[in-house]
Amino acid sequence: MNRNIHDLTTATAYDRDGEKLGSVKEVYINDSTGQPDFVEIGHGLFGMSSSLVPLRGHRLDGENLKLAFSKDRIQDAPNIEIGRASCRERV
């Protein structure tokens, strides 16, 4: 596993202003490039809510992942719900 990818899996995420968001729950890898494109961030009460956040413009400093978006924008993004498809199949 790429060292940077492993480091992302154990990181704590912060917004662009340095406000703590929560833990990285999952890292999503681009099949074409093999590089991480998105992370799932657990936030809210006991980390029960999750948001999918692009890694565009991020900075990883040790165990701290600084994202390029504000906390409000991240928490207002669509949440990931376990057991529900994120896309609908079109007929």
Side-chain angles (χ1 to χ4, degrees):
M1 178 186 289
N2 182 313
R3 181 70 181 148
N4 187 300
I5 295 170
H6 174 70
D7 291 345
L8 285 170
T9 64
T10 60
T12 300
Y14 295 85
D15 77 351
R16 68 177 179 205
D17 301 317
E19 193 168 345
K20 184 177 178 179
L21 299 169
S23 300
V24 172
K25 296 174 89 172
E26 200 71 47
V27 177
Y28 294 88
I29 308 300
N30 182 310
D31 289 337
S32 298
T33 66
Q35 294 300 308
D37 276 348
F38 293 88
V39 288
E40 177 185 348
I41 304 297
H43 56 81
L45 187 62
F46 305 113
M48 297 298 292
S49 296
S50 293
S51 294
L52 196 59
V53 183
L55 284 171
R56 180 184 66 234
H58 80 283
R59 188 176 75 238
L60 184 62
D61 182 19
E63 294 181 358
N64 299 322
L65 173 63
K66 187 168 184 182
L67 298 165
F69 304 95
S70 69
K71 182 176 184 174
D72 289 338
R73 185 158 186 198
I74 291 168
Q75 292 181 339
D76 287 343
N79 288 335
I80 297 171
E81 295 183 32
I82 296 172
R84 296 190 69 190
S86 60
C87 299
R88 292 187 183 167
E89 187 175 325
R90 294 182 187 220
V91 181

Short mmCIF file of all heavy atoms in Angstrom, two decimals, residues 17-79:
data_model
loop_
_atom_site.label_atom_id
_atom_site.label_comp_id
_atom_site.label_asym_id
_atom_site.label_seq_id
_atom_site.Cartn_x
_atom_site.Cartn_y
_atom_site.Cartn_z
N ASP A 17 -9.93 26.04 7.74
CA ASP A 17 -9.63 27.01 8.80
C ASP A 17 -9.00 26.37 10.03
O ASP A 17 -8.79 27.03 11.03
CB ASP A 17 -10.91 27.76 9.19
CG ASP A 17 -11.51 28.51 8.02
OD1 ASP A 17 -10.74 29.15 7.25
OD2 ASP A 17 -12.74 28.44 7.84
N GLY A 18 -8.76 25.05 9.96
CA GLY A 18 -8.13 24.35 11.07
C GLY A 18 -9.10 23.81 12.10
O GLY A 18 -8.68 23.31 13.14
N GLU A 19 -10.40 23.84 11.81
CA GLU A 19 -11.39 23.32 12.75
C GLU A 19 -11.51 21.80 12.57
O GLU A 19 -11.64 21.30 11.45
CB GLU A 19 -12.75 23.99 12.50
CG GLU A 19 -13.72 23.72 13.62
CD GLU A 19 -14.95 24.61 13.54
OE1 GLU A 19 -14.95 25.63 12.81
OE2 GLU A 19 -15.92 24.28 14.23
N LYS A 20 -11.45 21.06 13.68
CA LYS A 20 -11.50 19.61 13.64
C LYS A 20 -12.85 19.13 13.14
O LYS A 20 -13.90 19.58 13.59
CB LYS A 20 -11.23 19.03 15.02
CG LYS A 20 -11.16 17.52 15.04
CD LYS A 20 -10.83 17.01 16.43
CE LYS A 20 -10.83 15.50 16.46
NZ LYS A 20 -10.50 14.99 17.79
N LEU A 21 -12.81 18.16 12.19
CA LEU A 21 -14.01 17.58 11.63
C LEU A 21 -14.29 16.19 12.18
O LEU A 21 -15.41 15.86 12.53
CB LEU A 21 -13.89 17.48 10.10
CG LEU A 21 -13.72 18.79 9.36
CD1 LEU A 21 -13.34 18.53 7.92
CD2 LEU A 21 -15.00 19.60 9.46
N GLY A 22 -13.27 15.35 12.23
CA GLY A 22 -13.44 13.98 12.68
C GLY A 22 -12.39 13.08 12.06
O GLY A 22 -11.42 13.54 11.46
N SER A 23 -12.62 11.79 12.16
CA SER A 23 -11.66 10.80 11.68
C SER A 23 -11.94 10.41 10.24
O SER A 23 -13.08 10.42 9.79
CB SER A 23 -11.77 9.53 12.54
OG SER A 23 -11.48 9.81 13.86
N VAL A 24 -10.88 10.03 9.56
CA VAL A 24 -11.02 9.46 8.22
C VAL A 24 -11.51 8.02 8.42
O VAL A 24 -10.89 7.24 9.12
CB VAL A 24 -9.69 9.48 7.45
CG1 VAL A 24 -9.80 8.71 6.14
CG2 VAL A 24 -9.24 10.91 7.21
N LYS A 25 -12.64 7.71 7.81
CA LYS A 25 -13.22 6.37 7.95
C LYS A 25 -12.86 5.48 6.77
O LYS A 25 -12.74 4.27 6.92
CB LYS A 25 -14.74 6.47 8.06
CG LYS A 25 -15.21 7.20 9.31
CD LYS A 25 -16.70 7.40 9.31
CE LYS A 25 -17.38 6.22 9.96
NZ LYS A 25 -18.83 6.47 10.14
N GLU A 26 -12.68 6.10 5.61
CA GLU A 26 -12.43 5.33 4.39
C GLU A 26 -11.68 6.21 3.40
O GLU A 26 -11.86 7.42 3.38
CB GLU A 26 -13.77 4.92 3.79
CG GLU A 26 -13.76 3.77 2.84
CD GLU A 26 -13.51 2.43 3.49
OE1 GLU A 26 -14.13 2.11 4.52
OE2 GLU A 26 -12.65 1.72 2.97
N VAL A 27 -10.83 5.59 2.60
CA VAL A 27 -10.11 6.29 1.54
C VAL A 27 -10.54 5.65 0.22
O VAL A 27 -10.54 4.43 0.08
CB VAL A 27 -8.58 6.16 1.71
CG1 VAL A 27 -7.84 6.83 0.57
CG2 VAL A 27 -8.14 6.75 3.05
N TYR A 28 -10.92 6.48 -0.75
CA TYR A 28 -11.38 6.00 -2.04
C TYR A 28 -10.31 6.26 -3.09
O TYR A 28 -9.89 7.39 -3.29
CB TYR A 28 -12.70 6.68 -2.43
CG TYR A 28 -13.80 6.29 -1.49
CD1 TYR A 28 -14.03 7.00 -0.31
CD2 TYR A 28 -14.58 5.17 -1.75
CE1 TYR A 28 -15.03 6.61 0.57
CE2 TYR A 28 -15.59 4.78 -0.87
CZ TYR A 28 -15.80 5.51 0.29
OH TYR A 28 -16.78 5.12 1.16
N ILE A 29 -9.89 5.17 -3.75
CA ILE A 29 -8.79 5.20 -4.68
C ILE A 29 -9.32 5.25 -6.12
O ILE A 29 -10.25 4.52 -6.46
CB ILE A 29 -7.91 3.94 -4.52
CG1 ILE A 29 -7.49 3.74 -3.06
CG2 ILE A 29 -6.70 3.98 -5.45
CD1 ILE A 29 -6.71 4.86 -2.47
N ASN A 30 -8.71 6.08 -6.94
CA ASN A 30 -9.04 6.16 -8.36
C ASN A 30 -8.47 4.92 -9.05
O ASN A 30 -7.27 4.66 -8.99
CB ASN A 30 -8.44 7.43 -8.95
CG ASN A 30 -8.77 7.63 -10.39
OD1 ASN A 30 -8.60 6.74 -11.22
ND2 ASN A 30 -9.21 8.84 -10.70
N ASP A 31 -9.34 4.13 -9.69
CA ASP A 31 -8.90 2.89 -10.35
C ASP A 31 -7.88 3.15 -11.46
O ASP A 31 -7.01 2.33 -11.70
CB ASP A 31 -10.09 2.13 -10.93
CG ASP A 31 -10.97 1.52 -9.85
OD1 ASP A 31 -10.47 1.28 -8.73
OD2 ASP A 31 -12.15 1.26 -10.14
N SER A 32 -8.00 4.28 -12.13
CA SER A 32 -7.11 4.57 -13.26
C SER A 32 -5.72 5.00 -12.80
O SER A 32 -4.72 4.61 -13.40
CB SER A 32 -7.69 5.68 -14.13
OG SER A 32 -8.92 5.28 -14.67
N THR A 33 -5.66 5.84 -11.76
CA THR A 33 -4.37 6.40 -11.35
C THR A 33 -3.75 5.68 -10.14
O THR A 33 -2.57 5.83 -9.89
CB THR A 33 -4.52 7.88 -10.97
OG1 THR A 33 -5.35 7.98 -9.80
CG2 THR A 33 -5.11 8.69 -12.11
N GLY A 34 -4.57 4.97 -9.37
CA GLY A 34 -4.08 4.33 -8.16
C GLY A 34 -3.87 5.30 -7.01
O GLY A 34 -3.32 4.95 -5.97
N GLN A 35 -4.31 6.53 -7.19
CA GLN A 35 -4.14 7.57 -6.17
C GLN A 35 -5.47 7.84 -5.45
O GLN A 35 -6.54 7.66 -6.02
CB GLN A 35 -3.64 8.86 -6.82
CG GLN A 35 -2.25 8.75 -7.40
CD GLN A 35 -1.23 8.39 -6.35
OE1 GLN A 35 -1.14 9.02 -5.31
NE2 GLN A 35 -0.46 7.34 -6.61
N PRO A 36 -5.38 8.29 -4.20
CA PRO A 36 -6.61 8.61 -3.46
C PRO A 36 -7.27 9.87 -4.01
O PRO A 36 -6.60 10.86 -4.26
CB PRO A 36 -6.12 8.82 -2.03
CG PRO A 36 -4.68 9.19 -2.15
CD PRO A 36 -4.18 8.51 -3.39
N ASP A 37 -8.59 9.80 -4.23
CA ASP A 37 -9.34 10.94 -4.75
C ASP A 37 -10.30 11.53 -3.71
O ASP A 37 -10.56 12.72 -3.72
CB ASP A 37 -10.16 10.55 -5.97
CG ASP A 37 -9.37 10.59 -7.26
OD1 ASP A 37 -8.24 11.12 -7.26
OD2 ASP A 37 -9.88 10.07 -8.27
N PHE A 38 -10.84 10.67 -2.84
CA PHE A 38 -11.83 11.10 -1.85
C PHE A 38 -11.56 10.41 -0.53
O PHE A 38 -10.96 9.33 -0.49
CB PHE A 38 -13.26 10.71 -2.29
CG PHE A 38 -13.75 11.43 -3.50
CD1 PHE A 38 -13.50 10.94 -4.76
CD2 PHE A 38 -14.47 12.60 -3.37
CE1 PHE A 38 -13.95 11.59 -5.89
CE2 PHE A 38 -14.94 13.26 -4.49
CZ PHE A 38 -14.68 12.76 -5.75
N VAL A 39 -12.01 11.04 0.55
CA VAL A 39 -12.02 10.40 1.87
C VAL A 39 -13.42 10.52 2.45
O VAL A 39 -14.14 11.48 2.17
CB VAL A 39 -11.00 11.03 2.85
CG1 VAL A 39 -9.58 10.67 2.48
CG2 VAL A 39 -11.17 12.52 2.98
N GLU A 40 -13.79 9.53 3.23
CA GLU A 40 -15.03 9.59 3.99
C GLU A 40 -14.66 10.06 5.39
O GLU A 40 -13.80 9.48 6.05
CB GLU A 40 -15.68 8.22 4.06
CG GLU A 40 -16.94 8.19 4.89
CD GLU A 40 -17.52 6.80 5.04
OE1 GLU A 40 -17.09 5.87 4.32
OE2 GLU A 40 -18.40 6.64 5.90
N ILE A 41 -15.29 11.15 5.83
CA ILE A 41 -15.00 11.74 7.13
C ILE A 41 -16.19 11.49 8.05
O ILE A 41 -17.32 11.83 7.72
CB ILE A 41 -14.78 13.27 7.01
CG1 ILE A 41 -13.66 13.58 6.01
CG2 ILE A 41 -14.49 13.88 8.38
CD1 ILE A 41 -12.31 13.06 6.37
N GLY A 42 -15.92 10.89 9.21
CA GLY A 42 -16.95 10.71 10.22
C GLY A 42 -17.04 11.97 11.05
O GLY A 42 -16.03 12.50 11.51
N HIS A 43 -18.26 12.50 11.21
CA HIS A 43 -18.44 13.71 12.01
C HIS A 43 -19.77 13.64 12.73
O HIS A 43 -20.51 12.68 12.58
CB HIS A 43 -18.34 14.97 11.12
CG HIS A 43 -19.30 14.99 9.97
ND1 HIS A 43 -20.61 15.36 10.10
CD2 HIS A 43 -19.12 14.66 8.66
CE1 HIS A 43 -21.20 15.29 8.94
NE2 HIS A 43 -20.32 14.85 8.04
N GLY A 44 -20.05 14.65 13.49
CA GLY A 44 -21.32 14.67 14.24
C GLY A 44 -21.18 13.90 15.54
O GLY A 44 -20.10 13.46 15.93
N LEU A 45 -22.30 13.72 16.19
CA LEU A 45 -22.34 13.03 17.48
C LEU A 45 -21.79 11.61 17.34
O LEU A 45 -22.32 10.81 16.57
CB LEU A 45 -23.77 13.01 18.01
CG LEU A 45 -23.97 12.48 19.42
CD1 LEU A 45 -23.23 13.35 20.44
CD2 LEU A 45 -25.45 12.46 19.76
N PHE A 46 -20.72 11.32 18.02
CA PHE A 46 -20.06 10.01 18.00
C PHE A 46 -19.59 9.59 16.61
O PHE A 46 -19.40 8.42 16.34
CB PHE A 46 -20.97 8.93 18.58
CG PHE A 46 -21.45 9.23 19.97
CD1 PHE A 46 -22.79 9.47 20.20
CD2 PHE A 46 -20.57 9.29 21.03
CE1 PHE A 46 -23.26 9.76 21.47
CE2 PHE A 46 -21.02 9.58 22.31
CZ PHE A 46 -22.36 9.81 22.53
N GLY A 47 -19.45 10.55 15.69
CA GLY A 47 -18.98 10.23 14.34
C GLY A 47 -19.97 9.41 13.54
O GLY A 47 -19.60 8.71 12.61
N MET A 48 -21.24 9.50 13.89
CA MET A 48 -22.27 8.68 13.24
C MET A 48 -22.63 9.19 11.84
O MET A 48 -23.20 8.45 11.06
CB MET A 48 -23.53 8.62 14.11
CG MET A 48 -23.30 7.94 15.45
SD MET A 48 -22.78 6.22 15.32
CE MET A 48 -24.27 5.50 14.67
N SER A 49 -22.35 10.42 11.52
CA SER A 49 -22.60 10.95 10.18
C SER A 49 -21.28 10.90 9.41
O SER A 49 -20.21 11.01 9.98
CB SER A 49 -23.09 12.39 10.24
OG SER A 49 -24.32 12.47 10.88
N SER A 50 -21.40 10.75 8.10
CA SER A 50 -20.22 10.71 7.25
C SER A 50 -20.45 11.56 6.02
O SER A 50 -21.56 11.63 5.51
CB SER A 50 -19.91 9.28 6.80
OG SER A 50 -19.53 8.48 7.88
N SER A 51 -19.38 12.18 5.56
CA SER A 51 -19.41 12.94 4.31
C SER A 51 -18.24 12.50 3.44
O SER A 51 -17.15 12.22 3.95
CB SER A 51 -19.30 14.44 4.58
OG SER A 51 -20.42 14.91 5.28
N LEU A 52 -18.49 12.46 2.15
CA LEU A 52 -17.46 12.14 1.18
C LEU A 52 -16.84 13.45 0.72
O LEU A 52 -17.55 14.34 0.25
CB LEU A 52 -18.09 11.40 0.00
CG LEU A 52 -17.17 10.65 -0.92
CD1 LEU A 52 -16.38 9.59 -0.17
CD2 LEU A 52 -17.98 10.01 -2.03
N VAL A 53 -15.52 13.59 0.89
CA VAL A 53 -14.84 14.86 0.61
C VAL A 53 -13.71 14.63 -0.40
O VAL A 53 -12.89 13.74 -0.22
CB VAL A 53 -14.24 15.45 1.92
CG1 VAL A 53 -13.59 16.79 1.65
CG2 VAL A 53 -15.29 15.55 3.00
N PRO A 54 -13.67 15.45 -1.46
CA PRO A 54 -12.56 15.33 -2.41
C PRO A 54 -11.24 15.73 -1.76
O PRO A 54 -11.19 16.61 -0.91
CB PRO A 54 -12.92 16.33 -3.52
CG PRO A 54 -14.20 16.96 -3.16
CD PRO A 54 -14.61 16.49 -1.81
N LEU A 55 -10.19 15.08 -2.19
CA LEU A 55 -8.86 15.39 -1.66
C LEU A 55 -8.16 16.50 -2.44
O LEU A 55 -7.02 16.85 -2.13
CB LEU A 55 -7.98 14.13 -1.66
CG LEU A 55 -8.31 13.15 -0.54
CD1 LEU A 55 -7.57 11.84 -0.74
CD2 LEU A 55 -7.98 13.76 0.81
N ARG A 56 -8.83 17.06 -3.41
CA ARG A 56 -8.27 18.18 -4.18
C ARG A 56 -7.83 19.30 -3.23
O ARG A 56 -8.61 19.79 -2.44
CB ARG A 56 -9.33 18.68 -5.17
CG ARG A 56 -8.88 19.81 -6.02
CD ARG A 56 -10.00 20.34 -6.91
NE ARG A 56 -11.06 20.93 -6.08
CZ ARG A 56 -12.33 20.60 -6.14
NH1 ARG A 56 -12.75 19.67 -6.95
NH2 ARG A 56 -13.21 21.19 -5.37
N GLY A 57 -6.57 19.67 -3.28
CA GLY A 57 -6.05 20.76 -2.47
C GLY A 57 -5.77 20.41 -1.02
O GLY A 57 -5.51 21.30 -0.22
N HIS A 58 -5.76 19.14 -0.67
CA HIS A 58 -5.52 18.75 0.73
C HIS A 58 -4.03 18.83 1.08
O HIS A 58 -3.17 18.92 0.21
CB HIS A 58 -6.02 17.33 0.97
CG HIS A 58 -5.07 16.27 0.51
ND1 HIS A 58 -4.93 15.93 -0.82
CD2 HIS A 58 -4.19 15.49 1.19
CE1 HIS A 58 -4.01 14.97 -0.93
NE2 HIS A 58 -3.54 14.70 0.27
N ARG A 59 -3.77 18.79 2.39
CA ARG A 59 -2.39 18.72 2.89
C ARG A 59 -2.37 17.75 4.06
O ARG A 59 -3.17 17.88 4.99
CB ARG A 59 -1.91 20.10 3.33
CG ARG A 59 -0.42 20.10 3.68
CD ARG A 59 0.11 21.48 4.02
NE ARG A 59 -0.35 21.86 5.34
CZ ARG A 59 -1.08 22.94 5.63
NH1 ARG A 59 -1.44 23.77 4.69
NH2 ARG A 59 -1.44 23.20 6.86
N LEU A 60 -1.49 16.77 4.00
CA LEU A 60 -1.34 15.80 5.07
C LEU A 60 -0.07 16.13 5.83
O LEU A 60 1.02 16.13 5.27
CB LEU A 60 -1.28 14.38 4.50
CG LEU A 60 -1.23 13.25 5.50
CD1 LEU A 60 -2.47 13.23 6.39
CD2 LEU A 60 -1.07 11.92 4.79
N ASP A 61 -0.23 16.44 7.12
CA ASP A 61 0.91 16.80 7.97
C ASP A 61 0.90 15.85 9.17
O ASP A 61 0.14 16.06 10.12
CB ASP A 61 0.78 18.25 8.41
CG ASP A 61 1.95 18.72 9.26
OD1 ASP A 61 3.02 18.07 9.21
OD2 ASP A 61 1.80 19.74 9.96
N GLY A 62 1.70 14.78 9.08
CA GLY A 62 1.69 13.78 10.14
C GLY A 62 0.35 13.07 10.16
O GLY A 62 -0.07 12.47 9.18
N GLU A 63 -0.36 13.17 11.28
CA GLU A 63 -1.68 12.54 11.42
C GLU A 63 -2.81 13.53 11.19
O GLU A 63 -3.98 13.21 11.43
CB GLU A 63 -1.81 11.91 12.80
CG GLU A 63 -0.86 10.75 13.01
CD GLU A 63 -1.02 10.09 14.36
OE1 GLU A 63 -1.85 10.55 15.17
OE2 GLU A 63 -0.33 9.10 14.60
N ASN A 64 -2.49 14.73 10.72
CA ASN A 64 -3.49 15.76 10.49
C ASN A 64 -3.72 15.96 8.99
O ASN A 64 -2.78 16.25 8.25
CB ASN A 64 -3.06 17.09 11.12
CG ASN A 64 -2.90 16.97 12.61
OD1 ASN A 64 -3.66 16.27 13.27
ND2 ASN A 64 -1.90 17.63 13.15
N LEU A 65 -4.96 15.80 8.58
CA LEU A 65 -5.35 16.00 7.19
C LEU A 65 -6.11 17.31 7.09
O LEU A 65 -7.21 17.44 7.63
CB LEU A 65 -6.23 14.85 6.72
CG LEU A 65 -6.86 15.00 5.33
CD1 LEU A 65 -5.78 15.08 4.26
CD2 LEU A 65 -7.82 13.85 5.06
N LYS A 66 -5.50 18.30 6.43
CA LYS A 66 -6.17 19.58 6.25
C LYS A 66 -6.81 19.60 4.88
O LYS A 66 -6.14 19.48 3.86
CB LYS A 66 -5.20 20.75 6.40
CG LYS A 66 -5.92 22.08 6.38
CD LYS A 66 -5.04 23.22 6.81
CE LYS A 66 -5.85 24.50 6.87
NZ LYS A 66 -5.03 25.64 7.23
N LEU A 67 -8.15 19.72 4.87
CA LEU A 67 -8.92 19.72 3.64
C LEU A 67 -9.09 21.14 3.12
O LEU A 67 -8.95 22.10 3.87
CB LEU A 67 -10.26 19.05 3.88
CG LEU A 67 -10.14 17.58 4.31
CD1 LEU A 67 -11.44 17.08 4.88
CD2 LEU A 67 -9.67 16.73 3.14
N ALA A 68 -9.43 21.27 1.85
CA ALA A 68 -9.51 22.58 1.20
C ALA A 68 -10.91 23.19 1.28
O ALA A 68 -11.19 24.14 0.57
CB ALA A 68 -9.08 22.44 -0.25
N PHE A 69 -11.76 22.66 2.14
CA PHE A 69 -13.15 23.12 2.21
C PHE A 69 -13.50 23.52 3.63
O PHE A 69 -12.89 23.06 4.59
CB PHE A 69 -14.10 22.01 1.73
CG PHE A 69 -13.77 21.52 0.36
CD1 PHE A 69 -12.98 20.40 0.18
CD2 PHE A 69 -14.21 22.20 -0.76
CE1 PHE A 69 -12.64 19.95 -1.09
CE2 PHE A 69 -13.89 21.76 -2.04
CZ PHE A 69 -13.10 20.64 -2.20
N SER A 70 -14.54 24.36 3.75
CA SER A 70 -14.99 24.79 5.08
C SER A 70 -15.81 23.68 5.75
O SER A 70 -16.37 22.81 5.08
CB SER A 70 -15.86 26.05 4.97
OG SER A 70 -17.10 25.74 4.34
N LYS A 71 -15.88 23.73 7.06
CA LYS A 71 -16.65 22.75 7.83
C LYS A 71 -18.11 22.75 7.40
O LYS A 71 -18.71 21.69 7.22
CB LYS A 71 -16.53 23.06 9.33
CG LYS A 71 -17.25 22.08 10.21
CD LYS A 71 -17.02 22.41 11.68
CE LYS A 71 -17.65 21.36 12.57
NZ LYS A 71 -17.31 21.58 13.98
N ASP A 72 -18.68 23.94 7.21
CA ASP A 72 -20.09 24.03 6.81
C ASP A 72 -20.32 23.35 5.46
O ASP A 72 -21.30 22.62 5.28
CB ASP A 72 -20.55 25.48 6.74
CG ASP A 72 -20.67 26.12 8.10
OD1 ASP A 72 -20.81 25.39 9.11
OD2 ASP A 72 -20.61 27.36 8.18
N ARG A 73 -19.44 23.58 4.54
CA ARG A 73 -19.60 22.99 3.21
C ARG A 73 -19.48 21.47 3.27
O ARG A 73 -20.23 20.75 2.62
CB ARG A 73 -18.56 23.56 2.25
CG ARG A 73 -18.76 23.08 0.85
CD ARG A 73 -18.13 23.99 -0.14
NE ARG A 73 -18.48 23.54 -1.47
CZ ARG A 73 -17.84 23.91 -2.54
NH1 ARG A 73 -16.83 24.75 -2.44
NH2 ARG A 73 -18.20 23.48 -3.71
N ILE A 74 -18.56 20.98 4.07
CA ILE A 74 -18.37 19.53 4.20
C ILE A 74 -19.58 18.90 4.88
O ILE A 74 -20.11 17.89 4.43
CB ILE A 74 -17.07 19.22 4.97
CG1 ILE A 74 -15.87 19.60 4.11
CG2 ILE A 74 -17.01 17.75 5.39
CD1 ILE A 74 -14.55 19.63 4.84
N GLN A 75 -20.04 19.49 5.97
CA GLN A 75 -21.15 18.90 6.72
C GLN A 75 -22.49 19.07 6.01
O GLN A 75 -23.42 18.33 6.28
CB GLN A 75 -21.19 19.45 8.14
CG GLN A 75 -19.99 18.96 8.94
CD GLN A 75 -19.98 19.45 10.37
OE1 GLN A 75 -20.60 20.43 10.71
NE2 GLN A 75 -19.25 18.74 11.20
N ASP A 76 -22.58 20.03 5.08
CA ASP A 76 -23.81 20.20 4.30
C ASP A 76 -23.83 19.33 3.05
O ASP A 76 -24.86 19.26 2.37
CB ASP A 76 -23.98 21.67 3.89
CG ASP A 76 -24.39 22.54 5.07
OD1 ASP A 76 -24.84 22.00 6.09
OD2 ASP A 76 -24.24 23.77 4.96
N ALA A 77 -22.72 18.68 2.76
CA ALA A 77 -22.67 17.79 1.60
C ALA A 77 -23.54 16.57 1.87
O ALA A 77 -23.84 16.25 3.03
CB ALA A 77 -21.22 17.36 1.36
N PRO A 78 -23.95 15.87 0.82
CA PRO A 78 -24.76 14.66 1.03
C PRO A 78 -24.03 13.68 1.94
O PRO A 78 -22.82 13.47 1.80
CB PRO A 78 -24.92 14.09 -0.37
CG PRO A 78 -24.71 15.24 -1.29
CD PRO A 78 -23.72 16.14 -0.59
N ASN A 79 -24.77 13.11 2.88
CA ASN A 79 -24.20 12.12 3.79
C ASN A 79 -24.20 10.74 3.15
O ASN A 79 -25.01 10.46 2.28
CB ASN A 79 -25.00 12.06 5.10
CG ASN A 79 -24.77 13.26 5.97
OD1 ASN A 79 -23.74 13.92 5.88
ND2 ASN A 79 -25.72 13.56 6.81
#
